[in-house]
Amino acid sequence: MTGMKSIRVSAAVIHSDGRVYATRRGHGEFRGLWEFPGGKQEPGETGEAAAIREIREELGAMIGIEKHLCTVEYQYPSFHLTMDCYLSYVKEGQLTLSEHDDAAWLSIDELDAVQWLPADVLVVEELKKHFASVL
């Protein structure tokens, strides 16, 4: 593991009326794959604060964090990813794409209809468990 880059990111699992918001990568090596929006945590920043900031930067809306859903670990070929995922909702504004080329509100039944980034597949599994327990 020495020298292997580790990245810690926050992802917002934004939901409304039983649907969750998914975005599709518009560029980079994972272009065309779907993910929960978010980004890297800055030094000294909490996971919640990073999620709120990233959504404001990428999607132009203010979100409110409800609770920590899960933290997933995934070993990509060139780096190790730790992703803190937060159930959240849009508090203010509209979700507007700037860095992604597509987005969709997916019901729990539709989650398997898109091709997720490998780490996000783990989040989808957690999400299904969560919704199964609340519905």
Side-chain angles (χ1 to χ4, degrees):
M1 273 304 284
T2 343
M4 176 58 77
K5 200 160 67 153
S6 277
I7 298 176
R8 189 160 198 130
V9 301
S10 286
V13 180
I14 303 168
H15 68 102
S16 175
D17 298 328
R19 291 174 184 271
V20 295
Y21 191 72
T23 51
R24 191 173 70 185
R25 285 266 175 115
H27 52 79
E29 62 174 316
F30 298 113
R31 182 167 179 223
L33 294 180
W34 292 75
E35 66 184 348
F36 294 104
K40 287 192 191 74
Q41 294 176 15
E42 291 175 355
E45 189 176 41
T46 65
E48 290 90 340
I52 291 167
R53 176 182 53 75
E54 285 285 343
I55 298 308
R56 200 175 57 229
E57 289 172 7
E58 286 183 17
L59 295 164
M62 274 300 291
I63 56 165
I65 305 282
E66 281 167 32
K67 67 175 204 176
H68 175 257
L69 173 70
C70 61
T71 294
V72 299
E73 305 269 348
Y74 191 84
Q75 185 61 56
Y76 281 99
S78 57
F79 63 94
H80 181 83
L81 180 76
T82 302
M83 182 160 66
D84 298 312
C85 305
Y86 299 93
L87 277 178
S88 49
Y89 60 95
V90 177
K91 200 159 73 168
E92 219 175 278
Q94 292 279 316
L95 296 168
T96 311
L97 297 182
S98 60
E99 297 186 13
H100 297 88
D101 68 359
D102 199 8
W105 286 96
L106 303 171
S107 67
I108 297 306
D109 301 340
E110 294 167 324
L111 287 173
D112 295 328
V114 300
Q115 201 182 354
W116 295 93
L117 279 155
D120 291 78
V121 170
L122 303 171
V123 183
V124 167
E125 294 314 309
E126 287 298 323
L127 200 52
K128 286 179 188 166
K129 281 187 246 173
H130 171 78
F131 276 97
S133 68
V134 294
L135 296 177

